[in-house]
């Protein structure tokens, strides 16, 4: 059914920089097919800049107004219809990371299809598994991903209804070139009903093949209301410039787009945190708000000393997904020339969106190598919206405050299903409670101290704590991961700035008060296996470095 496009309440522009748009009262519907059209009506001349031309419009500009981006969504919707996509069809987007991944999702949703956003990081086996679960979707890809993800002519015929390639080579007649679809008529909106499936994304896949997470318009709406609750609290303004460098295939982009379209700030979209152009773009656009992945921030520590001062005007740093390292917060807050910049740590999951959050100031992270690190205390659940509890992993019974337990939560906006794996979704439900798979301690004040993933737990210790402390005490390290090993000491794996091993005396000083560890293994930063969200794939790392050694955790609850 077609629904009215207005799903955001228009707020008159304010003359004061200090005034906050009351976005927590905005009744968003979560319909991605209208996000940028509504944003264009509210702030048609506001700008979004991308770091390179869109793959779906390679000759187009890198800077467009909200209205211009809405027009590109309309064009893409026409291309999909021309390719045969109809309401209820699934459209898998499996291409290079770029803002146009989000635009393709909006285009598919606008014509009543269900977009499924996939990362190509995991290789052909995972790509084929995910496409199999999607049951012959339409696919939008590029030639590089068609090769790296095993989309051979046989796979295209067997796994997809039709595969569109944005740069189809002449020797692949099985791929539909995007150029053949250009010029198609722009279709009118055919939006999904709010209770129906609207978008599919996937988890990070740190413990195996990622799970395909399905959300409806209603669940995205609930997540968006939770998401926008943090903006008034910390003062995101329409006059801000926000630099965003999270993966565009992740669930974060779903709630993010609705929040941005609500507030209407200027945006800088970065597709590759490792690009040599990042420092130049940040210095040129002078963002006041920055959001990226925890491990991307770790790499960006080197930009803090850049003479172009790319973070000079930042007043808010935001990280989602995981705990951030104390050293990283300290380094980047020091790079801001604002009087009182702050850091917002948000713990979230694809299935539930934002769970808890906590702000940090320069004073919060002033102590080096402190135990427990301040960033291990993730913060508090969103008041009035989310409830959390810690339970015994074996019995499922609630544990007392201050005791380690498996975190369960009760929240609006939980996902509808795991596509093709509903049994895994059902196993994680405990009545109205949802198992996060994370071990933590909830103190008597309700704050959550994250310990480890249940599958990677270390007896009587916390890998998260050890890793943070070592990074803080050994400034030459660029990554530290502690692997549990059944029957022996936990094994630290690290990389360094210059590629040289850690001095044994420095290692002894740094680990003097830590739980007993095995001798560290030194590898290069590039050798750490990573997920699409830059998390370390500890299963693959263990299989490579410790073949045949089992982890302590059972993984029963995941």
């Amino acid at each position: 059914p077609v629904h009215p496009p207005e799903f955001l309440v228009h707020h008159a522009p304010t003359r004061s920089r200090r005034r906050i748009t009351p976005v927590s009262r905005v009744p968003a519907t979560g319909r991605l097919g209208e996000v940028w059209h509504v944003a264009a009506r509210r702030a048609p001349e506001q700008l979004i800049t991308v770091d390179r031309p869109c793959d779906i419009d390679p000759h187009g500009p890198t800077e467009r107004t909200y209205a211009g981006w809405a027009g590109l969504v309309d064009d893409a919707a026409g291309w999909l219809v021309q390719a045969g996509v109809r309401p209820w069809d699934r459209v898998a987007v499996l291409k290079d990371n770029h803002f146009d991944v989000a635009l393709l999702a909006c285009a598919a949703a606008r014509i009543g299809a269900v977009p499924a956003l996939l990362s190509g990081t995991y290789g052909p086996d995972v790509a084929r598994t995910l496409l199999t679960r999607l049951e012959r979707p339409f696919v939008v890809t590029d030639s590089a991903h068609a090769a790296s993800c095993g989309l051979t002519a046989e796979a295209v015929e067997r796994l997809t209804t039709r595969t569109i390639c944005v740069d189809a080579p002449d020797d692949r007649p099985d791929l539909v070139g995007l150029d053949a679809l250009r010029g198609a008529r722009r279709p009118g909106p055919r939006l999904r009903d709010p209770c129906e499936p609207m978008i599919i994304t996937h988890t990070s896949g740190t413990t195996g093949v990622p799970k395909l997470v399905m959300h409806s318009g209603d669940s995205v709406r609930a997540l968006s209301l939770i998401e926008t609750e943090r903006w008034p609290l910390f003062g995101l303004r329409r006059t801000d410039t926000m630099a965003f460098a999270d993966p565009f295939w992740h669930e974060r982009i779903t709630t993010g787009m609705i929040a941005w379209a609500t507030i209407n700030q200027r945006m800088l979209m970065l597709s590759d945190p490792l690009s040599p152009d990042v420092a130049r773009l940040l210095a040129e656009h002078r963002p006041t708000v920055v959001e990226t992945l925890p491990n991307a921030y770790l790499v960006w520590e080197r930009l803090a000393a850049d003479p172009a001062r790319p973070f000079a005007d930042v007043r808010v740093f935001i990280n989602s997904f995981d705990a951030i390292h104390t050293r990283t917060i300290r380094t980047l807050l020091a790079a801001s020339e604002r009087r009182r910049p702050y850091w917002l740590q948000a713990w979230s999951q694809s299935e539930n969106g934002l769970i808890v959050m906590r702000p940090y100031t320069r004073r919060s992270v002033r102590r080096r190598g402190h135990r427990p690190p301040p960033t291990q205390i993730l913060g508090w659940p969103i008041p009035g919206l989310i409830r959390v509890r810690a339970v015994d992993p074996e019995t499922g019974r609630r544990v007392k405050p201050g005791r380690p337990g498996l975190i369960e939560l009760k929240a609006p906006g939980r996902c509808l299903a795991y596509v093709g794996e509903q049994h895994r979704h059902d196993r994680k439900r405990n009545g109205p409670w949802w198992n996060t798979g994370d071990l933590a301690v909830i103190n008597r004040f309700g704050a959550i101290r994250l310990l480890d993933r249940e599958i990677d737990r270390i007896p009587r210790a916390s890998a998260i704590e050890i890793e943070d402390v070592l990074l803080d005490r050994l400034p030459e390290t660029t990554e530290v991961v502690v692997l549990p090993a059944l029957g022996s000491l936990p094994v630290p794996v690290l990389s360094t700035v210059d590629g040289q091993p850690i001095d044994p005396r420095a290692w002894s000083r740094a680990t003097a008060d830590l739980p007993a560890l095995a001798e560290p293994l030194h590898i290069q930063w590039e050798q750490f296996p990573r997920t699409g969200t830059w998390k370390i794939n500890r299963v693959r790392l263990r299989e490579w470095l410790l073949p045949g050694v089992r982890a302590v955790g059972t993984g029963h609850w995941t």
Side-chain angles (χ1 to χ4, degrees):
V2 178
H3 296 276
E6 292 291 346
F7 67 90
L8 299 174
V9 173
H10 176 77
H11 296 282
T14 176
R15 297 180 180 178
S16 171
R17 279 180 59 92
R18 304 294 298 178
R19 188 173 176 184
I20 300 167
T21 304
V23 296
S24 61
R25 296 195 295 272
V26 175
T29 68
R31 295 195 183 111
L32 293 183
E34 285 291 335
V35 165
W36 294 112
H37 296 75
V38 172
R41 286 193 290 273
R42 297 189 61 195
E45 301 305 316
Q46 186 61 283
L47 295 173
I48 296 178
T49 302
V50 292
D51 55 356
R52 61 179 177 82
C54 295
D55 298 323
I56 62 174
D57 188 19
H59 304 297
T62 57
E63 187 170 89
R64 286 178 166 94
T65 63
Y66 280 11
W69 291 111
L72 187 55
V73 170
D74 286 332
D75 290 338
W79 305 334
L80 294 177
V81 170
Q82 182 74 9
V85 178
R86 298 293 182 266
W88 281 109
D89 285 336
R90 291 174 176 175
V91 179
V93 182
L94 178 61
K95 61 172 292 297
D96 201 16
N97 188 52
H98 192 276
F99 180 52
D100 63 8
V101 170
L103 299 180
L104 287 168
C106 294
R110 188 162 179 78
I111 59 175
V114 181
L117 309 185
L118 309 180
S119 170
T121 306
Y122 305 90
D125 290 342
V126 170
R128 291 175 178 178
T129 297
L130 297 181
L131 291 176
T132 299
R133 292 176 185 168
L134 290 171
E135 300 176 317
R136 292 181 55 83
F138 286 81
V139 174
V140 181
T141 188
D142 53 45
S143 57
H145 278 70
S148 66
C149 294
L151 294 183
T152 62
E154 181 274 333
V156 166
E157 181 179 2
R158 179 170 55 88
L159 297 176
T160 78
T161 296
R162 202 171 191 188
T163 297
I164 304 165
C165 186
V166 299
D167 57 346
D170 294 336
D171 61 346
R172 291 292 303 271
D174 55 308
L175 303 179
V176 179
L178 187 59
D179 287 343
L181 305 175
R182 298 187 191 278
R185 182 180 62 85
R186 291 179 172 182
R190 296 283 302 276
L191 305 179
R192 296 251 57 79
D193 192 85
C195 66
E196 296 172 342
M198 190 197 66
I199 189 167
I200 299 168
T201 58
H202 63 72
T203 59
S204 294
T206 53
T207 58
V209 177
K211 299 178 284 288
L212 289 171
V213 180
M214 178 186 288
H215 278 284
S216 68
D218 283 339
S219 66
V220 169
R221 176 181 182 274
L223 297 183
S224 301
L225 291 177
I226 295 172
E227 168 71 20
T228 53
E229 284 295 329
R230 69 182 174 183
W231 300 135
L233 181 61
F234 295 98
L236 189 67
R237 305 162 190 157
R238 194 171 293 188
T239 51
D240 274 319
T241 295
M242 183 176 186
F244 182 85
D246 279 353
F248 291 100
W249 53 264
H250 196 272
E251 185 275 332
R252 173 70 187 96
I253 195 69
T254 307
T255 54
M257 282 194 293
I258 293 174
W260 306 328
T262 300
I263 299 165
N264 304 137
Q265 73 279 354
R266 195 167 190 264
M267 298 291 300
L268 171 63
M269 300 294 192
L270 301 172
S271 60
D272 181 8
L274 292 178
S275 169
D277 292 329
V278 165
R280 176 186 61 81
L281 288 166
L282 291 173
E284 177 183 333
H285 291 273
R286 308 280 292 186
T288 55
V289 179
V290 175
E291 178 173 347
T292 191
L293 308 164
N295 279 338
Y297 275 125
L298 184 61
V299 173
W300 281 3
E301 286 183 14
R302 60 182 174 79
L303 298 182
D306 192 295
R309 301 181 299 118
F311 302 116
D313 204 34
V314 178
R315 60 184 187 83
V316 185
F317 293 92
I318 302 170
N319 77 270
S320 298
F321 303 100
D322 288 316
I324 190 76
H325 292 300
T326 306
R327 186 186 81 185
T328 301
I329 294 181
R330 184 187 307 116
T331 302
L332 294 180
L333 285 180
S336 173
E337 297 178 6
R338 293 273 185 158
R339 184 178 179 185
R340 293 188 182 90
Y342 62 87
W343 193 287
L344 187 62
Q345 175 177 250
W347 179 38
S348 58
Q349 289 190 331
S350 299
E351 297 93 334
N352 305 283
L354 180 64
I355 302 171
V356 301
M357 64 180 184
R358 179 187 174 183
Y360 297 88
T361 64
R362 289 170 176 151
R363 182 177 176 83
S364 303
V365 294
R366 69 189 185 282
R367 292 189 290 181
R368 297 179 184 272
H370 181 69
R371 297 183 61 196
T375 53
Q376 195 179 8
I377 306 198
L378 299 178
W380 295 263
I382 309 300
L385 292 172
I386 294 178
R387 294 175 59 192
V388 298
R389 68 181 186 182
V391 301
D392 184 281
E394 302 301 327
T395 67
R397 296 175 181 172
R398 191 166 186 169
V399 300
K400 295 180 179 180
R403 298 291 300 275
L406 193 62
I407 295 299
E408 293 185 338
L409 66 89
K410 185 189 296 184
R414 195 174 71 200
C415 66
L416 301 182
Y418 288 155
V419 178
E421 295 185 294
Q422 191 60 24
H423 64 285
R424 295 183 71 182
H425 177 276
D426 295 342
R427 276 172 49 194
K428 297 188 73 169
R429 294 175 53 198
N430 184 6
W433 296 91
W434 177 263
N435 165 35
T436 65
D438 289 311
L439 289 170
V441 172
I442 302 176
N443 67 22
R444 60 193 178 96
F445 300 109
I448 297 174
R449 179 190 173 197
L450 188 63
L451 299 178
D452 285 310
R453 289 288 295 177
E454 199 269 339
I455 196 172
D456 289 316
R457 65 187 181 193
I458 295 177
R460 297 175 297 281
S462 165
I464 289 177
E465 176 185 7
I466 296 170
E467 291 163 2
D468 191 280
V469 169
L470 288 176
L471 275 166
D472 214 6
R473 294 177 179 176
L474 298 168
E476 64 270 37
T477 54
T478 55
E479 185 63 88
V480 177
V481 174
V482 178
L483 297 176
L486 186 63
S488 59
L489 295 175
V491 181
V493 185
L494 55 87
S495 60
T496 57
V497 174
D498 56 6
Q500 297 301 310
I502 295 291
D503 180 85
R505 291 171 296 181
W507 178 258
S508 295
R509 289 192 298 269
T511 59
D513 64 337
L514 296 179
L517 300 171
E519 288 298 309
L521 299 179
H522 183 270
I523 64 175
Q524 301 302 310
W525 185 89
E526 295 82 5
Q527 292 179 292
F528 280 99
R530 299 178 185 275
T531 70
T533 54
W534 287 38
K535 295 178 181 179
I536 304 301
N537 190 318
R538 294 167 187 261
V539 173
R540 287 178 53 198
L541 186 64
R542 184 186 302 106
E543 290 173 348
W544 170 41
L545 296 175
L546 307 173
V549 177
R550 292 178 55 200
V552 178
T554 64
H556 171 73
W557 288 75
T558 61

